[in-house]
Amino acid sequence: MKTWLTVPTDSDFSIHNLPFGVFDAGDGQPRAGIAIGDHIVNLAAAAEAGLFGKRRFFKKLFEQPVLNDFIALGKPATNRIRRKVQDWLCLPERPENAAQILVDRRSVRMLLPIRIGDYTDFYSSIEHATNVGKMFRPDNPLLPNWRWLPVGYHGRSSSIVVDGTPIRRPHGQILPKGEEIPVFSATKQLDFELEMAFVIGKDSPLGQPVPVKKAEEYIFGLVLFNDWSARDIQRWEYVPLGPFLGKNFGSSMSPWIVPLEALKPFRVKGPKQSPPPLDYLKTTGARNLDIELEVAVQPENGPETVICRSNTRYLYWSMAQQLAHHTVNGCNLRVGDLLASGTISGPTPDSFGSLLELSWAGQKPIPLADGSTRTFLLDGDTLAIRGWARKDGLRVGFGEVGGTISA
Ligand code: MN
């Protein structure tokens, strides 16, 4: 595949990727787009130019503030639009309508691309679950259910924000060490969680489980995800019903949804599962993804430091297994639901996907390039998560999801 457009060789948004997002070019009118190199294919303009047929239908669809109705058309339709854009970008020469359809990607503001219905967060990295378990329960780090089912919780969808949205340091109840009475204070242990999330692309009715073999039909695409966490608030409140105010003050997602189809070359087998899962969770073939991940911290007036490098392939439970488990009791799914992986930690200390683990609960400060150290995030810090897949000269990336902490 060769495009007439100049795409930098290290661009996340190669001709093989073509992720979907929603942008505002400055006129306040949201439009759907596809990222390509340093540009965006304005899908509303492409519809108007007749690229997809049914001009009025598609123009209206691509002028909506979110992609839900487009995604709900189903994979045959969404893949067809992607292929039409790919064909247009691979015409023998630059078409005359290029100037009307292309937008400079650096000149726009990206918006939250979907109206998120329900949001679920899993806990699917065995390294992360073991690390956190070791800190809280040294004798019994991995609880007995963990290897049998993808543990998860229902989170809050309305506080999920797009890349670049500032995150306000939350206040809450915290139990000081050795005390019995909690204090009300700003969190002193503001953390990130390196995660990926997938967007549901097809409804499944209440009462009907989705078999694991069909699970991927329900996955539209993936984004990078940061489940910001206030560890001191979380530690005091989580017993016995799980995460609450230590989590729901904000979560961030990257603006470009990479379709599952674009990630096909990067499929890999996951870790060996032992004991073998129950029948409804049994899968075969390459169900995990080889996506390289990195996390960088940038202090207010300093250079950034990469503090973690991990990979999506470490996840013990695959997306198909998470989805099959989520619906096995008959729980329904709706287009626009978001299912996040849980913190993606790898086997080595430099691959741990949270400050809680990287600083081992604050005991090991992490050196930054400006000479300062971090155990948890400070006001003014910007934290960014990046992700990309690479193979034989192909590159399919996610861009980044970042956010700056404010007081
Ligand atoms: Mn999480």
Side-chain angles (χ1 to χ4, degrees):
M1 260 182 292
K2 180 122 186 54
T3 170
W4 42 264
L5 189 67
T6 306
V7 176
T9 48
D10 60 347
S11 176
D12 277 350
F13 306 121
S14 66
I15 189 71
H16 306 283
N17 188 349
L18 303 184
F20 292 96
V22 178
F23 65 96
D24 175 355
D27 60 0
Q29 165 67 54
R31 290 183 183 87
I34 282 183
I36 174 78
D38 296 330
H39 292 84
I40 294 173
V41 174
N42 175 345
L43 289 175
E48 205 166 4
L51 239 64
F52 315 125
K54 294 202 280 184
R55 284 168 203 250
R56 284 182 49 172
F57 171 81
F58 280 112
K59 182 169 183 285
K60 222 174 139 192
L61 187 68
F62 292 133
E63 282 176 349
Q64 291 188 23
V66 286
L67 296 170
N68 295 56
D69 286 353
F70 168 63
I71 294 170
L73 294 177
K75 281 183 190 258
T78 55
N79 286 335
R80 176 183 156 268
I81 297 294
R82 203 166 147 260
R83 267 195 315 274
K84 291 275 181 197
V85 168
Q86 209 162 42
D87 291 347
W88 181 77
L89 286 166
C90 292
L91 288 171
E93 53 194 88
R94 186 184 178 92
E96 276 177 18
N97 55 13
Q100 290 141 254
I101 294 176
L102 286 180
V103 179
D104 182 348
R105 194 161 58 78
R106 288 155 304 188
S107 72
V108 308
R109 188 166 68 94
M110 294 306 298
L111 307 174
L112 193 70
I114 46 170
R115 185 174 55 248
I116 302 164
D118 282 296
Y119 155 57
T120 301
D121 195 22
F122 285 95
Y123 191 54
S124 288
S125 151
I126 197 164
E127 288 84 1
H128 173 68
T130 306
N131 286 337
V132 174
K134 274 184 196 162
M135 289 174 218
F136 293 103
R137 296 175 303 275
D139 309 331
N140 182 22
L142 205 60
L143 290 167
N145 60 359
W146 200 91
R147 285 173 180 270
W148 290 104
L149 56 86
V151 169
Y153 70 96
H154 284 301
R156 187 162 187 87
S157 53
S158 61
S159 54
I160 298 175
V161 295
V162 74
D163 165 56
T165 308
I167 295 293
R168 209 158 165 197
R169 178 178 299 273
H171 286 64
Q173 279 200 28
I174 295 162
L175 187 70
K177 221 178 169 167
E179 302 286 327
E180 281 172 19
I181 296 168
V183 296
F184 181 79
S185 153
T187 175
K188 294 181 176 68
Q189 298 189 338
L190 186 53
D191 200 355
F192 71 92
E193 289 192 341
L194 164 61
E195 306 197 13
M196 296 205 69
F198 60 94
V199 177
I200 295 296
K202 184 176 168 180
D203 289 349
S204 85
L206 190 63
Q208 287 183 28
V210 174
V212 70
K213 283 193 177 69
K214 294 203 163 171
E216 287 175 6
E217 293 172 20
Y218 292 77
I219 301 174
F220 174 70
L222 281 78
V223 293
L224 301 168
F225 194 78
N226 182 352
D227 177 20
W228 303 97
S229 299
R231 300 302 181 191
D232 38 12
I233 296 173
Q234 186 186 354
R235 191 175 296 112
W236 171 232
E237 75 173 0
Y238 88 100
V239 192
L241 286 186
F244 187 31
L245 303 179
K247 296 278 191 179
N248 68 6
F249 59 91
S251 317
S252 303
M253 67 180 262
S254 54
W256 293 105
I257 307 173
V258 175
L260 191 58
E261 286 67 26
L263 296 164
K264 210 170 164 194
F266 312 105
R267 282 173 172 273
V268 286
K269 279 200 159 161
K272 189 178 159 44
Q273 296 185 316
S274 172
L278 298 183
D279 279 348
Y280 80 93
L281 289 171
K282 276 205 174 84
T283 52
T284 53
R287 295 279 158 250
N288 275 35
L289 294 166
D290 181 5
I291 299 167
E292 296 171 57
L293 300 166
E294 73 173 30
V295 182
V297 183
Q298 184 173 18
E300 198 165 2
N301 294 308
E304 74 160 40
T305 307
V306 173
I307 56 167
C308 159
R309 289 179 210 279
S310 187
N311 193 304
T312 308
R313 69 188 302 161
Y314 297 136
L315 287 171
Y316 186 91
W317 295 105
S318 67
M319 293 184 292
Q321 288 175 318
Q322 291 167 348
L323 195 148
H325 183 65
H326 202 311
T327 62
V328 74
N329 64 344
C331 176
N332 53 343
L333 296 172
R334 289 183 302 188
V335 169
D337 287 354
L338 198 66
L339 276 63
S341 59
T343 307
I344 307 173
S345 292
T348 55
D350 59 348
S351 66
F352 294 167
S354 66
L355 283 167
L356 180 69
E357 294 161 88
L358 289 165
S359 76
W360 209 255
Q363 294 169 37
K364 284 196 323 192
I366 298 145
L368 299 188
D370 68 351
S372 67
T373 61
R374 289 293 180 280
T375 48
F376 292 98
L377 295 167
L378 300 181
D379 292 346
D381 285 352
T382 298
L383 187 119
I385 294 174
R386 304 183 186 109
W388 61 89
R390 273 187 301 194
K391 191 183 183 181
D392 308 329
L394 290 185
R395 185 178 170 108
V396 170
F398 289 80
E400 71 171 46
V401 55
T404 302
I405 309 301
S406 70

